[in-house]
Amino acid sequence: MSFSWLTCSLLLGTLCAGYSLGEAETRECVYYNDNWRTERTNQSGFERCEGEKDKRLHCYASWLNSSGTIKLVKKGCWLDDFNCYDRQECVSMEENPQVFFCCCEGNYCNERFTHLPDMIGSVKIRPPPRVPSLLNVLVYSLLPLCVLSLALVLALWMYRHRKPPYGHVDLIEDPGPAPPSPLVGLKPLQLLEIKARGRFGCVWKAQLMSEYVAVKIFPVQDKQSWQNERDIFMTPGMRHENILRYIAAEKHGTNLETELWLISEFHERGSLTDHLKGNTVTWTELCHIAETMSRGLAYLHEDIPSYKGEGPKPTIAHRDFKSKNVMLRDDLTAVIGDFGLAVRFEPGKPPGDTHGQVGTRRYMAPEVLEGAINFQRDSFLRIDMYAMGLVLWELVSRCSETDGESNSAGMLLHPQVKGLFASGWPNKQRITFPFVWSLIQCGLSQMCETIEECWDHDAEARLSAGCVEERISQITRTIGSTTSDSPVSIVTSLINEDLPPKESST
């Protein structure tokens, strides 16, 4: 038995040494960038590859083939990718991609590139020599036994000494193929920096060709959230200027190392929470953010018949509406995202998982905290409207044209709000608005009235998203048409004009 183990060790050492020879060190690659003018880089040359010590470096090339005409897109260094390991030549193996892509190891190995989709099938295996040597006999006789023995020992050791890195994960049920998207096959997509972290995973800023995108990465145990958000984005009619633009969904890795990617448009300003932490807003900016935000939620709640051949858009309840899930464009237009907990209400179909107490606790309506939800469509829409009232209050509390005491990082830092949220709004308490707000800024009293009607303890008394949008729009139009510079005269004009009446959420 000792002879057998010694022989196995020698054979495995020899094989491992042989495999290690296949790894070529990559320090420099040929560089080219077809978009060098817009990206303000060199057009061609050489690129020095840098990376972490435990990561391998490669070279890559990407090109287009239009009716036999080759157009080079990019060349350069590529970060650690197991698909590039031990490739000495830059060869694209995909059958008919939209953009050809190949990678390899070794200095300047991407100088030449080619497309050989049938290269695997053309590889021929050489037959063994007619007269086997002693070494061949030992390898063929003992190697299977050695491998089997080592596998059993390793499995036993892992079973006794290691715990699974995650909790219970159903790996048998596959997330399934990602939905078709015109941009799924485009390469290269390179992660640049982490912009946010949360319970779901993290959000990366990434570059897809010449466009910056956001990549939301879910671990495998959050597969349900990834699937739900992907399905919501794929719902007909979900393209709207105030809804986050979806690009693609992809699955990377296998087993416990599986990562689920959701790719969407990227907004440099980040979320409304991020903006309000470091900035105040003017009254004009407040109205613009509030109006576009309510317009996006109203569209989400709306049931729209067939439009442009896409099929009907059902009513969708967000169920985790908060300032952190509202993105801001450069012009402060609001865009609603994060649909991991959203639910669709399609006629004749069950809404799916409608578990009541989900979302973020500080934004939960009283009926959610009390466990007294009526599991109907309108009930979930009214829960969204309660959260809308709190987000509007955050905006008002950070308005630079209100009194100075209100500019204290809004809901996130306000001591009064901390105590109320921690206890779930006991005894139907609400924040009281300073009386001076009704005089110091035109339209502010009407905005506060709208907020109070959004977070009303009686769910059926709350405003709908469409009514909030109409009210804020009317306040904005009235202020824009007023020529007097006197705040009192503007307030008077608003008080004398009736706001849109309250309507139900149905």
Side-chain angles (χ1 to χ4, degrees), residues 235-238 302-307 309-315 346-347:
T235 302
M238 275 297 285
E302 192 175 359
D303 189 357
I304 303 176
S306 180
Y307 178 70
E310 285 192 7
K313 174 203 163 291
T315 294
E346 303 182 65

Side-chain angles (χ1 to χ4, degrees), residues 274-465:
D274 299 331
H275 184 73
L276 295 182
K277 280 183 178 180
N279 304 275
T280 57
V281 292
T282 64
W283 177 249
T284 302
E285 292 171 342
L286 184 153
C287 290
H288 179 66
I289 295 173
E291 184 178 1
T292 53
M293 178 176 62
S294 58
R295 183 180 300 132
L297 190 60
Y299 183 81
L300 202 66
H301 286 181
E302 192 175 359
D303 189 357
I304 303 176
S306 180
Y307 178 70
K308 292 185 178 180
E310 285 192 7
K313 174 203 163 291
T315 294
I316 299 175
H318 193 285
R319 296 211 300 169
D320 194 20
F321 191 80
K322 56 186 177 181
S323 56
K324 194 173 183 179
N325 291 337
V326 177
M327 303 296 113
L328 294 180
R329 292 198 176 101
D330 291 337
D331 62 350
L332 295 182
T333 296
V335 178
I336 300 175
D338 196 340
F339 299 102
L341 296 175
V343 61
R344 293 178 292 192
F345 296 92
E346 303 182 65
K349 295 182 181 180
D353 180 18
T354 54
H355 184 271
Q357 201 168 50
V358 298
T360 305
R361 182 173 177 82
R362 67 168 58 182
Y363 292 88
M364 287 183 180
E367 63 268 25
V368 178
L369 294 171
E370 295 166 3
I373 301 178
N374 179 12
F375 289 90
Q376 302 295 326
R377 186 197 73 159
D378 293 345
S379 299
F380 288 100
L381 302 188
R382 291 162 182 155
I383 292 170
D384 281 351
M385 294 313 301
Y386 182 90
M388 163 72 83
L390 299 178
V391 176
L392 290 175
W393 187 88
E394 291 184 55
L395 273 169
V396 172
S397 68
R398 291 294 286 161
C399 181
S400 58
E401 297 176 36
T402 57
D403 62 303
E405 294 181 359
S406 62
N407 298 328
S408 57
M411 167 188 290
L412 304 177
L413 300 178
H414 200 291
Q416 181 187 10
V417 179
K418 278 188 176 181
L420 291 176
F421 275 124
S423 55
W425 300 103
N427 302 321
K428 303 182 182 181
Q429 294 184 60
R430 293 295 181 274
I431 299 169
T432 56
F433 298 102
F435 174 74
V436 71
W437 283 14
S438 63
L439 301 176
I440 197 170
Q441 172 59 52
C442 51
L444 189 57
S445 61
Q446 283 71 29
M447 183 70 75
C448 294
E449 179 184 344
T450 301
I451 293 173
E452 288 178 328
E453 292 185 55
C454 284
W455 66 29
D456 197 299
H457 192 275
D458 182 4
E460 296 183 359
R462 294 172 196 156
L463 299 177
S464 68

Side-chain angles (χ1 to χ4, degrees), residues 62-64 73 92 94 97-101 185-188 209:
S62 60
W63 69 95
L64 301 171
V73 178
S92 174
E94 299 181 36
Q98 296 180 14
V99 177
F100 292 86
F101 176 83
L186 294 184
K187 293 182 179 181
M209 302 301 285

